[in-house]
Amino acid sequence: MKNISNKIISRIKKKYVFLSISGLILIAIAFLVLLKLLFIVRFSEKDLKSDISIFFKNNLNKAVKFEEAYIDFSGNIIATDFNVSESSDFNDNLSLVKAKKAVFDLNFFRLFIGEIKIDGMDLYDADVTFFKRYGKSYSENLSQVLDLENLKILDRQKFSGFRMRYYDARFFYKEVFKESELQVEFYDIYARLSIDDDEISYRIKGKIKPYKSKLIKKGNFFLKGALCYEKAAKITNEIEIENFDLTCVNEFIREHRPADILLKGGGSADLKITSEKGLNSIKGQVELNNLGVVASLQPQRDLVMNENLNVAIDCDFSDEFKNINLRKFKVYDDIFKITASGAYKCNDKTEKLDVSIKSNKIDLEDFSSTYKPFRDIAFRGALRFEGRINYDFKSNVSGGSDLSLTLKKFGIIKEKPGRGDALITDAELEFKLDDKSMKLGSTVKTEKSDISINADSVVKSWIPFNSDTEIKVRSKILEYRIPYLGMAYFTDMLIGMAYEDIKRGYEDIFFLQKPLGKIINGNNILLDFTADRLAFPGKASMSNIKFMLSLKNGMLEMKDFNAEGYESKCSLAVNCGFNRDYPYINLKGSAKGFNLEGFFRDAGFKGGLAGKADFDFDYEVTAYRMLQLIENSKGNVNIALNNFFAENTEFQRKLVEMFNGTDYRADSLRKMENASVSFSFSQMGENFFIKTFNVRSDGLNLGAFGRYGYQSGLDLQSNVSVKAGDRFITVPLKIDGKILSPCIRINDKKSKNSLCLDFEKP
């Protein structure tokens, strides 16, 4: 009986528990239903939409629209297809935020007294777009997106405890340029904004979509910060970025043209930035991975290739940069390390700069494998520098400045496919600077050359820089290739820069207003050059090469030029005026009666050559910018060979070979007697002409003329009369290619034989 009683009691208890739980559930359901009915009756969808619109209009000056709005069982407003305008209305049809769903966190208990107070907002699957309009500044666009004046007067106590969060959001930055459009996308974003009694804080993390690079994979970022306004406003920001695609920066470079370059590679950063009472601080590191810098001017070329560059910084600075304390600045990679520290102070009484800098020993050969600042130029050797600059701008006085730089076994190589031509090798250089002077000493030795350079400068003023400098260059033997290749490269570079400058359009900054004009007119230089021998191939040489080049008060003049050898009379005159808005340059030179037979014999060339050669040139230009070196210039080059004799030279052998195997026989070209050769080249503005190119001999008569273009090259057509047996035959020839590497071609349908020469490599 007792067991039966226990079973009955147990069943009654279970039934009672079940009925109790069921009752509670029914009561809860009834309560939620009643609560839902209360919310529906008390807060219509029209009222909810109105309340939300008023909230955004009054606090953010934004318009909103959405499909539907209702209060859920937890007392939160749910809005679907939520849309926030970029400006104060939707007249421009642009949205700042679009979200699939917006949840407004309400104060639950205030609902029962009929009051809606928004304590937070959660946005799901949102697109946030910042649009930079063309023609407006960044500050103007920012003020349109964020009403900063309205935020300043925001009642912080009223919004204390407010939270706004984004889940699975996408952020877009869009900017329209003159000829392109930029869109940077950040995705998979979680973001939170919190407002408390004493601070506003934020936290954002997400991923970065690559822009136009195929090598850069997706990136990541994390940002957090706070504005504390308890006593004095203090702002802190922490930035972590990994693998940001640098190609997006190219749109800004193309638009604003700070330099003619394009970037590629990825960037990462770990920075902490703070601001309080007008004092700012930045500390951290930036890493550039697989950095590439490409010269955007045609033809494009790499300036920096696959570089992994790191920058570390620790610096304090005032809002107006009048006080800067650089505790640490380091730029480094696997090749070089450069560190700097210092301070800058500026107020009503003083303005001083005190900076120290130091490098490691930099291997320039390794450096040249990554950095190519000059076209087809590589460096060799080791570089090291260190020093201190201490300058008082108010009194314009340097006090305690000391800088030194050393180069060991330095070389400059002009690179070509399969080979490299040494412009400078095994150079030693030492440079020292102090408060009132600069000194430079350098020696260069190659297989055939030795050069020493010593320069002493007395500095009269650092800002603007004014000095008197004497430079002495001495050489017992100077290999001719050094000035030849140097001048060829320098001339080619200037012409290339001039053609690129043509694309830039009008410029009204005259020469005296430019930094180069101020430097040239503020400094006097006297260059004293002597070379005992100018060495050519074999034993051929000119001797006693001397000149003085003087730059004084903006006037450049050459004095006492002398060069001796092979019975020639040589002259060179330089007369330039840079002390005006339109500087002028006049160059003239000549070599008369040069004995070809003696030179050919001493040089050890095969075959025989004799006769006298005359050469002269002149060039003049008035220009204040690069393009005018072509537009405003005119020049002439004339070469004449008199009583010319040539037999079985290398050029003749190759010329005969070109004719062999064709319908034209030219054995008579193996020996040329009683010949004369004349060549005349002229330039007038952008027009280059081969006025005459004549060869007259017993076995050859050639007359040609044509045009030359810097990019298109030579274009000469000629019918040549060549002696074949007892008669002359006519051969159609064409000469094209660069002026220092021309090609002679038989210009008929049956034969395509050609002979190409290369004077670029002497």
Side-chain angles (χ1 to χ4, degrees), residues 682-729:
S682 68
Q683 179 236 336
M684 182 69 71
E686 297 184 52
N687 300 307
F688 296 81
F689 300 98
I690 310 296
K691 294 196 298 185
T692 59
F693 179 32
N694 297 323
V695 180
R696 299 287 184 265
S697 72
D698 294 340
L700 173 68
N701 287 307
L702 180 148
F705 62 91
R707 300 178 65 89
Y708 172 74
Y710 175 72
Q711 295 178 337
S712 59
L714 291 164
D715 184 12
L716 276 72
Q717 305 286 341
S718 174
N719 287 323
V720 183
S721 296
V722 180
K723 190 173 184 180
D726 295 331
R727 63 188 183 90
F728 279 86
I729 60 173

Side-chain angles (χ1 to χ4, degrees), residues 23-149:
L24 290 173
I25 292 174
L26 291 173
I27 292 172
I29 293 173
F31 175 77
L32 292 174
V33 172
L34 291 174
L35 187 64
K36 181 69 173 177
L37 292 174
L38 174 65
F39 289 159
I40 293 173
V41 173
R42 183 63 184 83
F43 304 103
S44 67
E45 182 177 12
K46 181 179 179 181
D47 291 336
L48 294 177
K49 289 185 176 182
S50 176
D51 289 336
I52 294 173
S53 297
I54 292 172
F55 174 83
F56 275 87
K57 189 66 176 178
N58 291 343
N59 297 296
L60 298 174
N61 194 26
K62 301 293 180 187
V64 295
K65 58 184 178 180
F66 38 91
E67 287 298 319
E68 62 175 344
Y70 60 89
I71 298 179
D72 66 3
F73 292 107
S74 62
N76 295 329
I77 298 177
I78 309 299
T80 59
D81 292 333
F82 186 70
N83 194 343
V84 181
S85 67
E86 185 192 53
S87 58
S88 59
D89 52 48
F90 283 100
N91 289 340
D92 54 8
N93 204 29
L94 292 176
S95 298
L96 177 64
V97 179
K98 283 185 176 182
K100 293 292 184 182
K101 182 175 76 170
V103 178
F104 295 89
D105 185 12
L106 304 182
N107 188 307
F108 184 78
F109 296 103
R110 287 179 178 266
L111 291 174
F112 293 99
I113 61 174
E115 179 183 343
I116 289 181
K117 182 179 183 296
I118 298 177
D119 290 334
M121 179 171 60
D122 294 337
L123 298 172
Y124 295 86
D125 196 15
D127 288 346
V128 182
T129 304
F130 294 92
F131 187 79
K132 163 66 170 65
R133 291 172 175 80
Y134 182 75
K136 287 189 175 183
S137 67
Y138 292 97
S139 59
E140 287 176 322
N141 279 270
L142 179 62
S143 64
Q144 183 164 349
V145 173
L146 296 175
D147 191 340
L148 299 178
E149 295 300 321

Side-chain angles (χ1 to χ4, degrees), residues 202-220:
Y202 72 90
R203 178 185 294 262
I204 308 173
K205 66 176 182 179
K207 295 180 173 60
I208 309 171
K209 185 177 180 179
Y211 183 56
K212 289 186 176 180
S213 174
K214 297 180 180 179
L215 301 177
I216 299 298
K217 298 180 180 179
K218 66 181 180 182
N220 300 287

